[in-house]
Amino acid sequence: MDFNFHMPVQVISGEHAVRDHAEVLHPLGKRCVIVTGGNSAQKSGALDDVIAALEQEGISHQVFSEIGANPLVSTCDRAGAMAREFGADFLIGIGGGSPMDAAKAAAIFAANPKLSGEEIYDYTPEKGNAPLPVVLVGTTAGTGSEVSAVSVLTRDSDGRKKSISGPWCFARVAFADPRYTYTLPYDVTVSTALDALCHTVEGMLNPNIGDVIRPFGRRALELIGPALVRMNEERTLPDAAERERLYYGSLYAGVVLAACGSAFPHPMGYVLTENYGIPHGRACAVFLPALVKYAKRSAPEVVREILGTLGMTFTKFKTMVDTLAAVELHMDTKEAHRYAARWVGLKNFKNVPGGYDERRAYGLLVRLFVR
């Protein structure tokens, strides 16, 4: 038996979790910077709830609202500088994966004034100061950033996405209130649900998955799968009950991601986001059927478990994912070679049953996109 497990985030779930448990913020300090972007934090009601909770606890705050999709390292650096200048004791990230990941990075910058820009990719607490505590409030049902030790940032130097990770990237507290996802439009709901599906399937296929984590994966599939099937068939938004299942499914998937990491769909998906503007969840899902098909060779029992939990044949699974991802693009062989060169020795490929490499990744790009 393998009972290794580490997930240090205090998760507080349920409707009005922020309002009803504001007291957990009090020990974190007297000054806080809220990191967010766009209008989802405002539209969902999450920002108002967080500000009310801070005021209830007598905590001063400022808002950094400049986080965009696929956050730049430089933007996170500026958020950290604001927090440092304000004398913040902790940060709160509100939003989807981008603001939550940005808050993790900003917490590192805030505590390390000598750290600049892309130096963050080499950061460890042993090389500097520990990050400020981070509280996360999710407004999408997909990334699982609330419970993962990963922050995906975009490099200013070349526009490429690259993650930072380590135990120091775990949040101190995560407020999990599915109500904040109710205002998401259909396309975002689908893309983020596909992201959670990718986290689950990629993690469950990791040869090193532990016995404790596998049930989290099955539960994620039970919660996410039926909603994806229905949305694919009906093309309508979820009701409140389905929103709740999707959100908690994304947290189960996030625990799987935190424990197992991702396989090749994620780094391959990054190039579709960077170069073709495909939203992250859909970009990763494009490659998910290929992963499941490839895994049949070395891990057929795991594939049967995944498809059995979803109640699908592989053909039905592939058709559903391909339809929901709906990515239409073309690249030439030079582009495919250039992307594949980035993946030499990539650690994500080691998470694939039987192993994977850049040669196979190139072949997959050609099969999918070269005409």
Side-chain angles (χ1 to χ4, degrees), residues 257-274:
L257 174 67
C260 300
S262 59
F264 68 73
H266 265 71
M268 294 185 71
Y270 287 170
V271 302
L272 302 190
T273 299
E274 296 162 1

Side-chain angles (χ1 to χ4, degrees), residues 4-5 209-218 255-257 259-260:
N4 297 321
F5 180 58
I209 187 173
D211 293 327
V212 176
I213 301 301
R214 194 173 298 281
F216 281 83
R218 287 196 296 267
V255 173
V256 176
L257 174 67
C260 300

Side-chain angles (χ1 to χ4, degrees), residues 42-62:
Q42 184 74 53
K43 188 175 180 181
S44 67
L47 181 59
D48 289 342
D49 286 352
V50 167
I51 290 174
L54 291 171
E55 291 176 347
Q56 176 182 319
E57 296 301 314
I59 300 171
S60 302
H61 71 275
Q62 288 187 349

